[in-house]
Amino acid sequence: MTGRIIKIALDSPLDMEFDYRWQAAAAGDPDPQVGQLALVPFGRREVVGVVTAVGDASDYDAAKLRDVIALRTQLAPLPPAWMALCRFAADYYQRPLGEVMLPCLPKGLRNESTVALDRALKKLAKAAPAAAGPTAIAATAGPTDAAELAAAPTLNPGQQAAVDAITASAGFAANLLFGVTGSGKTEVYLHAAQAVIDRERAQGRAAQVLILVPEINLTPQLEGSVRGRFPHLQVVTLHSQLAEGERLRHWIAAHQGDAAIVLGTRLSVLAAMPSLKLIIVDEEHDPSYKQQEGLRYSARDLAVWRARQLDIPVVLGSATPSIESWQHASNGRYRRLDLTQRAAAHAQLPRVGLIDMEINKAPDGLSPPLVAALRARLERGEQSLLFLNRRGYAPVMHCDACGWISNCRRCTAFMVLHKPERRLRCHHCSLELRIPHACPTCGNVDLQPLGRGTQRVEEHLQVLFPDARVLRIDADSTRRKGSAQAAFDSVHRGEVDILLGTQMVAKGHDFQRLTLVGVINPDTALFSQDYRAGERLFAQLMQVAGRAGRAAIAAPVEGGEGSEGSNARDARAEVLVQTRYPQHPLYRALLAHDYPGFAQATLAERRSASLPPFVFQALLRAEAKQLQPALDFLQAARDLMPCEGIMINDPVPMTITRVAGVERAQLLVESSSRAQLQAFLKSWVAALREQKSRLRWSLEVDPVDI
Ligand code: ADP
Ligand code: ZN
Ligand code: ZN
């Protein structure tokens, strides 16, 4: 047989696989294989797709089929497990298979030309001439040597029990590692990885471990620990800030089984890893595991699915698990592993205090008790962190004389004042304007900033503490590649007295010299119409609070004696939250470091309000130049087909209705049965596609922002 008919998934919105003819160039050429990449003509272009089936028949007129141009035989076919993962994601998130498979491959694999691919393969072969292929990992070394093990701290009993539970069996188990901030979850990950790799090697098998982190900025610290611990193993990172060539090489190293440990952000959950034996999702609650465009997937959920499919363990770690995961642990679907103590000797959870902003006035954002606490840290040479989740100088500019306000002309949003850059910026459409000298409507020259962002607090800190070394870390101060890393490094080196920032500083960093965390006005989230806002706020506050007091107590104790008792209390790190609602249950739970109490109350609320995880949701969104057509489209979609067991809400404009001149509306679909919702969505999306509406629409399954 020299000619075959193959099916190919292409990055196209058409929900189908495409048939092509393949002719062997020479007798004896091997047949194409499922999972191979192939270059094919598509319309007037040539594109790369993934072979999904090889056969001899087509539903189309075989004579009219076009020929495959080339197979990428230099690359091993994508393994069946990876194909199955993509099929599941396509199915579950209602996307064409090709729109799942192709976008998650590095660009170098999707090029018409093979120059990048060939170069990457050559470089990889040169780097590891002997150690090519998965078996090489098993062959190169025995169990990791003693020197490495020496570098690892002895696990405390809680950590050891967690590692034992995770590695007890090789089969599927979803472990929820619930460990307070600073409890040493990283050590659990590393030891579990080591145990799994050693176990597989002892049986002559290769093993790969996938570690997901929520933020690119967290990869360097973890990468350092992982490399230090596994000097003989190939460790690669996968995230969107890697240069193209690097990302391609790392991806191929994972795909070829050469990389024993893959460390990456959400996109790495779709990396091909033929010998995957353990998946770890750090800070599993983090919203950035949710992709918000294209394939709107949850990397955390796909990680769990992938572990089940491969019949391997998965570890979801967090000090504040997502409400969904907590629920799964409560009903036994996940196994909960608790770390209740901070790991470092004498490190204690910080004391949390609330500053009542009804009593304490703070015209510049910082209340007298917070200022006093900052001053005490400066005098003792300790670091402080101020958390304000709002970048820019002020969220809006305003004219007192006529009421003008800095609305974005393209969005339902304010232009944010960025003083150092002398700009008004819309954070939704990126429109930039120079700061007006006078009010555009009445000419008043005295325009006022309203509210405050990180830049304004920074300015105030410089006035309050002219000698202090203040560093602001937010998306604006870290635009240049590498600048975030440089900033965090200088904090770690102790070159910063007061660190000020947005959620960028709240997550995961192990700051050793920090003894004070101040939280500036987090109250707005308490009254958000998004039902998840409370959960997110609590997680954020616990996270940022968790940055304090991570080292053994270093602070000199006031009063000098250094004995136990009240003086020892003073040496504890402190978290101060400025709020107008000190009695709010969320803050009461924070005071007590009581995540379980918070989660239980939240679950009870969700149950009585019929919200996730007690119902399953999907969101249909439509965009148009005018709002009405978008609403009409959704209304028509609503009436498109019968929907037993499904509740379809009324179409509504989105909270921020207009972005960059486009009006946006949405329709929420709910069901108490996931299976029923899935079945409905499948036929509904097919019917919507049939309509061939010119309006832009998209579907999100398990939406997080409603
Ligand atoms: P988490 O991720 O749970 O917030 P980390 O993994 O960052 O916590 O660990 C917090 C600190 O505790 C780190 O500085 C780490 O080196 C230290 N640590 C972890 N395990 C141990 C241990 N068994 N003994 C001593 N120190 C430990
Ligand atoms: Zn005016
Ligand atoms: Zn805008």
Side-chain angles (χ1 to χ4, degrees), residues 616-618 646-649 667-671 677 680 684:
F616 302 94
Q617 300 182 325
I646 306 288
M647 146 99 165
I648 308 189
N649 293 268
L667 181 66
L668 182 66
V669 184
E670 301 178 284
S671 173
L677 179 63
F680 169 74
W684 196 42

Side-chain angles (χ1 to χ4, degrees), residues 408-411 413 415 426 428-431 660:
C408 175
R409 58 180 147 82
R410 310 201 299 160
C411 308
M415 303 280 292
C426 174
H428 297 277
C429 73
S430 309
L431 180 67

Side-chain angles (χ1 to χ4, degrees), residues 154-156 159 180-187 343-344 510 512 550:
T154 316
L155 296 184
N156 61 39
Q159 289 172 314
V180 299
T181 52
S183 58
K185 293 186 283 294
T186 313
E187 280 305 325
D510 193 17
Q512 288 283 322
R550 296 173 70 85

